[in-house]
Amino acid sequence: MAISGTQSQRGGTHVSAAEAAAAFERRETRTRWLLSAPALITLAVASIGPLLIVLVYSFLQKNPNGGVFWQFSTDAWFNVILQRDIFDDTLQFADAHLSIFWRSVKLSMGTTVLALIFGFPTAYFIATRPERTRELWLFLITIPFWTNLLIRTFAIQEVIRNEGIVNSLLLWVGIIDAPIQMMFTDFAIMMGMLYVFLPLMVLPLYASMEKLDFRLVEAGYDLYATRLQVLRRVIIPLVKPGIIAGSILVFIPSLGAYVTPRVLGGGKSLMLGNLIELQFGQGRNWPLGAALSMTLLCIVMVALLVYVRKTSRQGGAHG
Amino acid sequence: MSTAAAAVEAKNVSKIFGAGVGEVRALDNVSVTIRQNEFFTLLGPSGCGKTTLLRLIAGFEMPTEGSILLEGEEVAHLPPFKRPVNTVFQNYALFPHMSVAENIGFGLEMLGKPKTEVQQTVDAMLRLVRMEELKHRKTSQISGGQQQRVALARALAPRPKVLLLDEPLSALDYKLRKDMQLELKRMQHETGITFIFVTHDQEEALTMSDRIAVMSQGNILQIGSPDEIYERPADRFVADFIGETNFIEAEVIERIGEDGRIRLPSGVAVSHKLASNAGVGSRVTLAIRPERIDLVRADGETHLKGKVDNIVYFGTDTTFHVGLDSGQSVTVRVQNRRGHQEILQVGDVVGLTIAPEAMQILRD
Amino acid sequence: MAKATFSVRRQTGFATIALVCFVMLYAPILTLMIYSFNDGTSVAIWEGFSWRWYERAAANEQVQESALLSLKIASIAAVLATIFATMAALATTRTRPYRGLTAIFAAINTPLMVPEIVTAVALLIFFASIKVATGYTGIAYLVAAHTAFCIPFAYLPIRARLESMDATLEIAAADLYATPWRAFRRVTFPLLWPGIVAGLMLAFVISLDDVVITEFVKSAGQDTLPTYMLGQLRRIVTPEMNAISTVFLGISVMVVALFFFMTRKKN
Ligand SMILES: Nc1ncnc2c1ncn2[C@@H]1O[C@H](COP(=O)(O)OP(=O)(O)OP(=O)(O)O)[C@@H](O)[C@H]1O
Ligand SMILES: [Mg+2]
């Protein structure tokens, strides 16, 4: 205290206050970064850093024995959409890749639409339950979400296999006399993804429906709207943020799905995730795998960006 | 460290939040000296910087400029846990996971006092705030008024040099608040600790304080005892903020030394002491409290004349709004000792007289 | 009198679809569980009750090893992730915005935004080169990967808890002579504890469930229970898989139920 006394006599209080504040600020900043450091370092080593390496790899030359040659090349990116004909050296669209891209987008969209068709009434059902039982219904939706994805996929497989429940039942009743082939089809993949990602649609939908002001619904009926009109003109517009959030939350993991198409699609029905894996396995084309990964990442980022833009605009429109 | 040193001294303190366009100057070159054992109140409208000044004294914020002295010692470099200052927070900030006794003993424990001493002090504090029976309750299980007392006991237990109270009564209902005002005064008396009290309730400030600082927009406009503040407001803001005031423009028509004569809007001239900068011909503003004006017959000797526009009955007194010829409206408050209402009616022409000492010339 | 009252909240057919939905969600899982008790080899034909598949699974050395590895990794990763997430939450909540704050948020949330397969591939590339360079092929890679993707899950409830906590409590502690460390020990930490436990449980379940990243990062011979099961699914499945799945589900459901119960009680 004596020191500060002389300080204030010498330099005037002006400087010491500002200095103390600055020193305090510096300490705060240091503490914050020290506290964040372990998380940031872990993420840098095991998430963000490796992603950058993937980006680098996508610009390298492939080593046919696996791995890469450290030589700059844009071949991989080229190969994502185009391929050079072995015979006449002309450029063609890489049909194999594009069809898998297309299938992934198609199946993901299909899954999203199905999830919306099933999820919307379910979320609405939960949101309109009495306070006491609502928690229980919500819990029932959450449970599958936190249980192992592989096990859930396995469960679906057991249902739709040729020797599975559905076929056995139909055979036993005598409706069919040969099992219906459901495994290893696009249908199987879509069912599987619907099954595993459905809670991701229901939860955000529920969150926005829970906030729904039912006096507005009453107002709708008061103004002669039928049930369907109230649904279309009042409820759906009001819960639109939930619809968008749920759709994005289902679409993104569907697009990058790996386990479900691997188990239910077998080797036949590939999706983007399996195509990527293939490049690191049998394909031995790491740069192409890297470029495909980056492409998938870009699509996801664009979807997220659209989502952020949409929701922030929505927020603005409401004031 | 002489005993004569002020309890708290703020010297040219400024506090700026944010930077650039979003910059807020919460305190603007504030200087104030708070004496030992004083009940000192910071009074001012919302956002004027009262909390900020308290937080600077407690050490939760650093001043952007200037210095804060506790008993004559600069404390800018001391973190809050090294300052002999305790705070009663506006929302009480009681630790929800501790009992009443644990809350009260927390400060002493942190100071490393032996267990027996902590217990003794806690018991003494519980007696002081009259909460002995609730010693082992969780703080979430007691009422608002009780929480407030625990907060007070917790802040007093370590015997701080200065106790800071940030609107501690604002969450209480009217009755409880009146009781607590008295309790606070009693406790300040018994402990002899300097209290710095924040409120935006002028009545609370007037009844409880030894001295009041009226603040506005980061500045201290006036410091004085309650009656000084009320009777001799330094400027228009203070006069307007504390109680009700009529502002009447007047013109200086004569001055000899400090004495002079001013002319009221009615043309009537009165003698008055003048500030040095008020030359002949300059205009001044008079602040006059409604209860210091007398209603008289219009045909007698009056300072102002006007017509009764409105009469509002308040029980203990009645308020008359009198429209002057100049168009200005003057508020007059008269105690109800029967008679006035019966005599005066809306539309009547009345005269107003004002004692010279009730006309306060405001600083511009 | 017989006329039903008009309910504003009702929508025709919604309740039916919702119930179908719940049945669809639970029927496969329940069937899977039921057939784990099947005495026969088939997962479709019921041949009487028995524990034999549980006994068989318990005796299976590969199952034992992979289950042990799963628990080991999930425990270490969940604890690390929770500690790191707690520290990060303390640094990123209730502060004035500072330079780098958004960057920290983005970094913590990357595992939630990046498709798992992409992270898996990235880790494969990165760790493969480290494995070649150092020769080390232990479980550290799996632990690091799991810790990283568990951090955002642990971070969420801890941060939520911190944000709903009254910031003046810590200030009050400082006012009452508590040093920053003691204020943390005596005030912040006890109040944050439920959030930390919730974060730990979420991280544990998330780590336990992971298939994709583990599948790409694991070295030869390292199998967690999910990757072991993924390998088995290629073959003819016996009810042994059902038995393992049932136990696994039981553990997850228990942890989640506990989490649900804990977070609910607070409100
Ligand atoms: N942390 C902060 N960041 C930015 N501005 C702040 C901060 N704290 C206070 N301010 C601003 O400083 C000014 C003074 O605030 P202060 O809290 O001191 O007012 P007050 O007199 O206590 O008001 P009230 O009676 O409402 O409590 C206000 O304009 C406020 O918005
Ligand atoms: Mg305040």
Side-chain angles (χ1 to χ4, degrees), chain B residues 43-61:
Chain B
L43 176 65
S46 190
C48 68
K50 306 180 296 282
T51 299
T52 305
L53 186 53
L54 280 201
R55 290 171 61 84
L56 289 174
I57 295 170
F60 308 144
E61 300 275 0

Side-chain angles (χ1 to χ4, degrees), chain C:
Chain C
M1 266 327 264
K3 201 168 178 236
T5 49
F6 181 87
S7 164
V8 176
R9 293 165 177 246
R10 222 175 74 87
Q11 280 289 340
T12 324
F14 273 27
T16 320
I17 300 179
L19 291 176
V20 167
C21 233
F22 280 108
V23 171
M24 268 182 12
L25 277 180
Y26 280 92
I29 299 182
L30 291 178
T31 323
L32 181 142
M33 289 178 162
I34 291 168
Y35 277 97
S36 70
F37 298 104
N38 191 3
D39 197 28
T41 341
S42 163
V43 282
I45 305 152
W46 183 255
E47 287 172 33
F49 181 89
S50 114
W51 287 102
R52 72 183 258 219
W53 299 110
Y54 285 89
E55 283 155 17
R56 181 132 150 208
N60 186 335
E61 249 170 54
Q62 272 180 303
V63 173
Q64 289 170 5
E65 271 170 31
S66 57
L68 206 64
L69 186 65
S70 270
L71 286 177
K72 201 150 118 195
I73 291 172
S75 312
I76 304 174
V79 168
L80 285 180
T82 309
I83 294 173
F84 295 172
T86 306
M87 291 166 71
L90 287 170
T92 51
T93 2
R94 295 176 305 161
T95 98
R96 271 167 269 153
Y98 56 91
R99 211 145 32 101
L101 186 63
T102 345
I104 296 180
F105 278 141
I108 287 174
N109 286 315
T110 30
L112 296 181
M113 297 186 292
V114 178
E116 247 195 316
I117 183 73
V118 176
T119 310
V121 161
L123 290 172
L124 171 75
I125 296 179
F126 181 50
F127 288 158
S129 52
I130 298 184
K131 281 176 193 174
V132 169
T134 62
Y136 172 75
T137 54
I139 66 163
Y141 301 108
L142 282 173
V143 168
H146 279 232
T147 307
F149 69 72
C150 283
I151 285 176
F153 289 95
Y155 179 77
L156 285 175
I158 296 173
R159 180 187 146 89
R161 178 91 195 163
L162 259 178
E163 293 219 307
S164 66
M165 211 171 103
D166 182 1
T168 46
L169 293 178
E170 285 157 316
I171 297 178
D175 187 57
L176 293 162
Y177 314 106
T179 57
W181 170 245
R182 300 186 84 180
F184 176 76
R185 265 300 291 125
R186 295 292 308 275
V187 177
T188 318
F189 188 73
L191 292 172
L192 194 55
W193 183 238
I196 294 177
V197 173
L200 186 74
M201 291 193 308
L202 283 194
F204 185 77
V205 170
I206 292 290
S207 166
L208 211 57
D209 282 355
D210 181 72
V211 199
V212 183
I213 289 176
T214 312
E215 176 76 5
F216 280 74
V217 170
K218 67 175 189 169
S219 308
Q222 272 176 349
D223 257 320
T224 61
L225 204 48
T227 61
Y228 168 75
M229 288 168 70
L230 184 65
Q232 292 300 304
L233 282 186
R234 293 227 179 112
R235 316 196 181 147
I236 305 281
V237 282
T238 61
E240 188 184 336
M241 281 290 285
N242 297 43
I244 300 170
S245 299
T246 306
V247 174
F248 207 127
L249 283 179
I251 294 173
S252 297
V253 170
M254 240 155 56
V255 176
V256 175
L258 211 67
F259 168 78
F260 212 72
F261 184 68
M262 272 191 49
T263 44
R264 244 191 66 185
K265 237 181 104 184
K266 292 291 142 198
N267 309 336

Side-chain angles (χ1 to χ4, degrees), chain B residues 175-218:
Chain B
K175 180 78 175 54
L176 193 55
R177 190 161 159 172
K178 288 282 157 216
D179 292 347
M180 286 309 299
Q181 286 177 2
L182 293 176
E183 298 251 318
L184 275 183
K185 272 306 268 189
R186 172 177 71 86
M187 270 175 240
Q188 198 247 337
H189 224 75
E190 284 176 21
T191 56
I193 292 172
T194 308
F195 276 35
I196 305 181
F197 184 84
V198 164
T199 182
H200 51 224
D201 179 339
Q202 41 146 325
E203 190 191 321
E204 200 166 273
L206 292 174
T207 53
M208 298 177 74
S209 322
D210 294 324
R211 285 196 307 152
I212 298 172
V214 182
M215 296 182 67
S216 169
Q217 298 185 345

Side-chain angles (χ1 to χ4, degrees), chain B residues 214-248:
Chain B
V214 182
M215 296 182 67
S216 169
Q217 298 185 345
N219 291 294
I220 293 185
L221 300 180
Q222 187 175 6
I223 301 176
S225 62
D227 65 302
E228 272 170 353
I229 298 273
Y230 188 79
E231 300 291 342
R232 291 192 294 285
D235 64 11
R236 201 177 173 115
F237 179 89
V238 176
D240 208 20
F241 189 72
I242 315 265
E244 224 176 324
T245 309
N246 295 299
F247 297 106
I248 290 170

